[in-house]
C-alpha cells in the first residue's frame, strides 16, 4: 500500500499559471497544429500551402524546440530542395499518393543515403557512409515523402547499456525529453520519433522495435504506434538489435496517417528474407491497403476482445495506478457494443514476463532470459551491419567496442558539463558471448518464441466454462508507466514476432500520457488498425503537450523521477 501514500503526497500543482512556451504557429497562414495527412493534402491541392513551405515551418519549429527537447538528431540539409521538387512534380503530374510532400522523420538507426549520417546515436559511426538507403527509406522516397531528417533515440536502440544509462539518451543527440513534462521520461528507444510527432516537429515518424521500442515511447507521447509483425516490413539497412525480433513501424497522430505509412513501407524485399514469410502465409496479398481498414466506433458493435487479466492487468503497476481510467474505457467499449472476455489468460505468462514491468520474469532461470539470446543476436547483428559499411576503421563489433572504450564517459564525448554520457555495459555483455549460437542460445530463443506465440494464440481462442469456443478480435493490454519499468505489454509480441498497436486514452497527474494496447496474431495488422481506429474514435483523447519544465536539465532519467513507484504494488 506504500505506493498509494506516495501517490497522494505527490498531488501536482494545480492552478499554477503556465503558458505553452512553444505554441504551434500557423504555416503560410494555415493552422498546422496536430494536422493530419488528408487535411494537408487538401491544403496542397487548394494551393494554400506547398510542401516546401510546410517543410520550412517544421525546420523552424525544430530549431526552436529542439535545444530544449532534443527529439531530432539532424535535419536533412536537402529537405527543402526535395520538397520543392515534389511541389513541381505535383503541378505537372498530380500527387503520387497520400504521402506526397509529407515531412517525415526517420529514427537514426535507419540508413539514409543522403547528407545525414546514420549512426544509431553513436559518435563512433558518424563518419561512415551507408551503402544505400534502407529499404524503408527508399520506399518512403518513392511514395513522395520528404525525408526531413533523423530522430534522436536511445543509443543503439537501447542495447548499448542497461546500467550506465539514461532512457532516450544518445551521445550524438543528447537527452530526448518528454514534451508534456520535460522532467518525466520518454521511454524508448524510439523516443525522438514519438516526441517529434506529438511536439508537432514533423507530420509522422518511423521507429524500430526489438522489444517495446515503438509501443512504449508512443504510449508516453500520447500518439499512435504500430509494431508490425516481423517480416511485414524489411529491416535491410536498419542497425540491428536482434535480426530475429526487429521490426520497423510508424509513429503518427492518427491511425489513418499510420496506416498510410504502413502501406508505403510494407512488402517483400530480397535483402530481408523474413519478409518472405508474409508471402508464404498468403497475407502479403490479403492486406496491402491498411488505410482501408481505418474505421469508426460503429465497428465496435459485436467486436470481441480478450482481457488477459493475469498478469498484465492484475499486477502491473500501470493497471493499478490507472485502474479507474481503464475501467471507464471498458465501460465505454461495452456501451459501444463490444463484448469483453475477462480472464482470457495467457498460459505460462508468469514464466515469460516480469509482472510489474518490462523485462524477464525473475523466477525463470537465467539461461531462459531473453537477454541470453539477445546478447548473441546483438553481437552478430551489429557485426554484420558494420562489415557492410565502407570507409572506416570500425569494421566489426569488437572494433566498435574498442572505440567506445577509448571514448568512455570520462572523456565526455559531448563536452562533459551537464551532458551525461552513455556507458557500454551491455555491449560488454554481448562481447562476452562472441556471438556464438550454441545450444543455450537456441534453447532460450525457441523456448520464448514458441511459448509467446502459443500464449497469444491460446488467449485469442476463448473457451467458456461450458466449452463454447470463441475466436477473439484482439487482446486488450495496459500501456502505462508507473512500475519499476513501463507496462509489461511488449515482451510477448516481441518474442512471438506478432503485431501490436497502442493508442492514447489519458494523462496522469504529472501530465504523462498513457494508452491502451491491442495484441493480435501474425500478420493481423489490418484487424488491429480496424479496432484500434474504432476505439480511438470512441475515446478521442487528444491531449496537447504544454512543454512543462522545458528549462530544466535534470538527467539522467533512470532511476525514476517522482511520479514513479520503485516498489511493485501487491497483486490486486
Ligand atoms: C570523424 O571525422 C572528423 C573530421 O574529420 C574527425 O574529427 C572525427 O574524429 C571523426 N570521428 C570518427 C569517429 O571517426
Ligand atoms: C536468410 O538470409 C541470410 C543471409 O542472406 C541467410 O544466412 C539465412 O540462412 C536465410 N534464412 C532463411 C530462413 O532462408
Ligand atoms: C485503399 O483503400 C482506400 C479506401 O477504400 C481507397 O480509396 C484506395 O484507393 C485504396 N488504395 C489502393 C492502392 O488500393
Ligand atoms: C476480471 O477478473 C478478475 C478475476 O476474477 C477480477 O478481479 C477483475 O475485477 C475482472 N476485471 C474486470 C474488468 O471485470
Ligand atoms: C567505461 O567506464 C566505466 C567506468 O570506468 C566502465 O565501468 C565501463 O566498462 C567502461 N565502458 C567501456 C565500453 O569500456
Ligand atoms: C571483447 O572480447 C574480446 C575477445 O574475447 C576480448 O579480447 C576483449 O577484451 C573484449 N572487450 C571488452 C571491452 O570486454
Ligand atoms: C554457449 O555460450 C555461452 C556464452 O555465450 C555459454 O555461457 C554457454 O555455456 C554455452 N552453452 C553451451 C551448451 O556450450
Ligand atoms: C512534472 O513532473 C515532475 C516530476 O518529474 C512533477 O513533480 C511535476 O509536478 C510535473 N509537472 C506537472 C505540471 O505535472
Amino acid at each position: 500500500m506504500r505506493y498509494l501514500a506516495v501517490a497522494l503526497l505527490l498531488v501536482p500543482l494545480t492552478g499554477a499559471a503556465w503558458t505553452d512556451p512553444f505554441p504551434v504557429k500557423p504555416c503560410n497562414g494555415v493552422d498546422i497544429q496536430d494536422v493530419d495527412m488528408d487535411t494537408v493534402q487538401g491544403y496542397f491541392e487548394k494551393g494554400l500551402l506547398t510542401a516546401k513551405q510546410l517543410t520550412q515551418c517544421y525546420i523552424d519549429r525544430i530549431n526552436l524546440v529542439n535545444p530544449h527537447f532534443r527529439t531530432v538528431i539532424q535535419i536533412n540539409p536537402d529537405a527543402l530542395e526535395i520538397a520543392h521538387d515534389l511541389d513541381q512534380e505535383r503541378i505537372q503530374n498530380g500527387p503520387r499518393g497520400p504521402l506526397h510532400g509529407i515531412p517525415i522523420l526517420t529514427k537514426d538507426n535507419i540508413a539514409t543515403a543522403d547528407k545525414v549520417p546514420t549512426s544509431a546515436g553513436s559518435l563512433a559511426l558518424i563518419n561512415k557512409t551507408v551503402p544505400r538507403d534502407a529499404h524503408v527509406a527508399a520506399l518512403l522516397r518513392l511514395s513522395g515523402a520528404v525525408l526531413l531528417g533523423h530522430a534522436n533515440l536511445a543509443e543503439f536502440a537501447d542495447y548499448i547499456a542497461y546500467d550506465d544509462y539514461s532512457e532516450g539518451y544518445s551521445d550524438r543527440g543528447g537527452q530526448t525529453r518528454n514534451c508534456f513534462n520535460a522532467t518525466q521520461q520518454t521511454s524508448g528507444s524510439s523516443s525522438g520519433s514519438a516526441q517529434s510527432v506529438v511536439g508537432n516537429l514533423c507530420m509522422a515518424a518511423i521507429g524500430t522495435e526489438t522489444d517495446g521500442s515503438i509501443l512504449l515511447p508512443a504510449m508516453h507521447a500520447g500518439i499512435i504506434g504500430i509494431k508490425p509483425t516481423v517480416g511485414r516490413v524489411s529491416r535491410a539497412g536498419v542497425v540491428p538489435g536482434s535480426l530475429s525480433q526487429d521490426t520497423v513501424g510508424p509513429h503518427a497522430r492518427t491511425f489513418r496517417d499510420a496506416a498510410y505509412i504502413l502501406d508505403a513501407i510494407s512488402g517483400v524485399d530480397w535483402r530481408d528474407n523474413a519478409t518472405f514469410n508474409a508471402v508464404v502465409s498468403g497475407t502479403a496479398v490479403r492486406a496491402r491497403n491498411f488505410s482501408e481498414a481505418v474505421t469508426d466506433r460503429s465497428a465496435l458493435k459485436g467486436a470481441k476482445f480478450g482481457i488477459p487479466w493475469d498478469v498484465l492487468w492484475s499486477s502491473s503497476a500501470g493497471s493499478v495506478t490507472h485502474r479507474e481510467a481503464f475501467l471507464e474505457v471498458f465501460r465505454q467499449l461495452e456501451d459501444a457494443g463490444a463484448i469483453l472476455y475477462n480472464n482470457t489468460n495467457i498460459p505460462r505468462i508468469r514464466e515469460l514476463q516480469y509482472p510489474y514491468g518490462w523485462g524477464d520474469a525473475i523466477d525463470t532461470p537465467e539461461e531462459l532470459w531473453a537477454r541470453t539470446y539477445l546478447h548473441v543476436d546483438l553481437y552478430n547483428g551489429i557485426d554484420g551491419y558494420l562489415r557492410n559499411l565502407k570507409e572506416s576503421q570500425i569494421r566489426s563489433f569488437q572494433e566498435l567496442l574498442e572505440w567506445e572504450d577509448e571514448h568512455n564517459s570520462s572523456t565526455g564525448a559531448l563536452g562533459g558539463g551537464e551532458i551525461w554520457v552513455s556507458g557500454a555495459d551491455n555491449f560488454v555483455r554481448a562481447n562476452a558471448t562472441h556471438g556464438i549460437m550454441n545450444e543455450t542460445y537456441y534453447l532460450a530463443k525457441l523456448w520464448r518464441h514458441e511459448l509467446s506465440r502459443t500464449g497469444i494464440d491460446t488467449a485469442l481462442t476463448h473457451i467458456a466454462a461450458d466449452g463454447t469456443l470463441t475466436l477473439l478480435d484482439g487482446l486488450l493490454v495496459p500501456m502505462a508507466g508507473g512500475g519499476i519499468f513501463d507496462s509489461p505489454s511488449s515482451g510477448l509480441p516481441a518474442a512471438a514476432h506478432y503485431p501490436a498497436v497502442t493508442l492514447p486514452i489519458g494523462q496522469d497527474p504529472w501530465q504523462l500520457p498513457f494508452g491502451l494496447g491491442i495484441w493480435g496474431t501474425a500478420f493481423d495488422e489490418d484487424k488491429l488498425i480496424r479496432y484500434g481506429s474504432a476505439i480511438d474514435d470512441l475515446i478521442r483523447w487528444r491531449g496537447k503537450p504544454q512543454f512543462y519544465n522545458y528549462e530544466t536539465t535534470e538527467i539522467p532519467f533512470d532511476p525514476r523521477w517522482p511520479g514513479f513507484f520503485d516498489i511493485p504494488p501487491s497483486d490486486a
Side-chain angles (χ1 to χ4, degrees), residues 72-109:
V72 179
I73 272 199
Q74 194 170 330
I75 295 170
N76 181 358
D78 294 332
L80 286 171
E81 206 183 309
I82 294 170
H84 175 76
D85 290 349
L86 287 162
D87 284 333
Q88 294 306 111
E89 185 190 309
R90 176 190 296 273
I91 292 167
Q92 276 153 26
N93 305 327
R96 295 187 200 177
L99 297 187
H100 191 119
I102 299 291
I104 290 178
L105 286 168
T106 51
K107 188 176 175 179
D108 189 44
N109 60 353

Side-chain angles (χ1 to χ4, degrees), residues 229-459:
T229 311
V230 175
R232 175 66 80 191
V233 180
S234 167
R235 293 87 43 85
V238 177
V239 182
S242 157
L243 281 176
S244 48
Q245 275 182 212
D246 291 347
T247 183
V248 185
H251 275 154
R253 295 191 284 260
T254 68
F255 267 101
R256 186 171 296 280
D257 287 1
Y260 283 148
I261 292 181
L262 196 58
D263 279 340
I265 65 176
S266 61
V268 179
D269 174 20
W270 70 270
R271 289 185 199 277
D272 179 0
N273 51 18
T275 61
F276 302 163
N277 295 339
V279 183
V280 174
S281 67
T283 57
V285 183
R286 177 164 60 87
R288 280 304 314 280
N289 191 345
F290 294 109
S291 52
E292 208 169 357
V294 175
T295 182
D296 60 25
R297 68 187 73 181
S298 65
L300 293 170
K301 203 165 170 54
K304 305 179 193 75
F305 299 116
I307 301 178
W309 197 259
D310 182 45
V311 297
L312 295 174
W313 294 94
S314 67
S315 61
S316 94
S319 73
V320 174
T321 50
H322 304 79
R323 177 149 296 167
E324 273 316 311
F326 281 124
L327 290 178
E328 174 57 27
V329 168
F330 291 163
R331 276 191 289 273
Q332 287 188 47
L333 283 172
E334 285 182 324
D335 286 350
I339 308 158
L340 303 184
Y341 295 79
N342 192 9
N343 296 310
T344 50
N345 288 334
I346 297 169
R348 302 180 70 174
I349 188 159
R350 283 174 183 266
E351 290 167 68
L352 296 166
Q353 178 63 53
Y354 179 60
Y356 306 107
W358 187 92
D360 289 301
I362 23 192
D363 294 339
T364 300
E366 201 169 331
E367 308 92 81
L368 294 175
W369 286 7
R371 58 182 70 175
T372 297
Y373 68 88
L374 288 177
H375 287 150
V376 177
D377 284 350
L378 182 67
Y379 184 105
N380 293 323
I382 292 187
D383 201 61
Y385 178 86
L386 292 173
R387 283 175 201 281
N388 276 322
L389 297 182
K390 304 198 171 65
E391 357 155 347
S392 169
Q393 48 304 33
I394 302 171
R395 298 293 300 271
S396 68
F397 185 80
Q398 289 212 4
E399 283 171 17
L400 175 63
L401 187 56
E402 276 160 29
W403 189 94
E404 293 292 344
D405 211 16
E406 275 164 35
H407 299 76
N408 205 348
S409 313
S410 53
T411 61
L414 279 182
E418 89 272 25
I419 301 295
W420 181 89
V421 176
S422 194
D425 53 84
N426 206 45
F427 270 10
V428 173
R429 289 188 198 98
N431 184 50
T433 71
H434 311 304
I436 295 169
M437 301 197 284
N438 60 20
E439 220 174 285
T440 312
Y441 166 86
Y442 283 108
L443 179 65
K445 184 162 150 168
L446 295 176
W447 179 80
R448 186 167 298 270
H449 180 57
E450 289 307 323
L451 285 186
S452 299
R453 286 164 71 104
T454 319
I456 293 173
D457 289 335
T458 305

Side-chain angles (χ1 to χ4, degrees), residues 165-248:
Y165 157 84
S166 174
E167 183 63 281
Y169 173 86
S170 74
D171 284 355
R172 180 166 163 219
Q175 178 66 55
T176 314
R177 291 166 186 280
N178 194 306
C179 295
F180 286 85
N181 183 346
T183 61
Q184 290 285 335
Q185 64 137 352
T186 58
S187 197
S189 65
S190 309
S191 321
S193 301
Q195 291 296 328
S196 296
V197 171
V198 79
N200 278 280
L201 274 62
C202 59
M203 283 222 56
I206 309 292
T208 66
E209 169 151 346
T210 308
D211 177 357
S213 280
I214 291 173
L215 297 172
L216 302 176
M219 129 191 133
H220 277 334
I223 59 164
I224 309 300
I226 300 181
K227 181 243 172 202
T229 311
V230 175
R232 175 66 80 191
V233 180
S234 167
R235 293 87 43 85
V238 177
V239 182
S242 157
L243 281 176
S244 48
Q245 275 182 212
D246 291 347
T247 183
V248 185

Side-chain angles (χ1 to χ4, degrees), residues 512-534:
L512 203 60
F514 59 99
L516 183 73
I518 316 178
W519 291 358
T521 192
F523 298 106
D524 242 357
E525 287 85 347
D526 48 350
K527 211 185 260 181
L528 298 185
I529 289 169
R530 176 176 166 81
Y531 292 111
S533 58

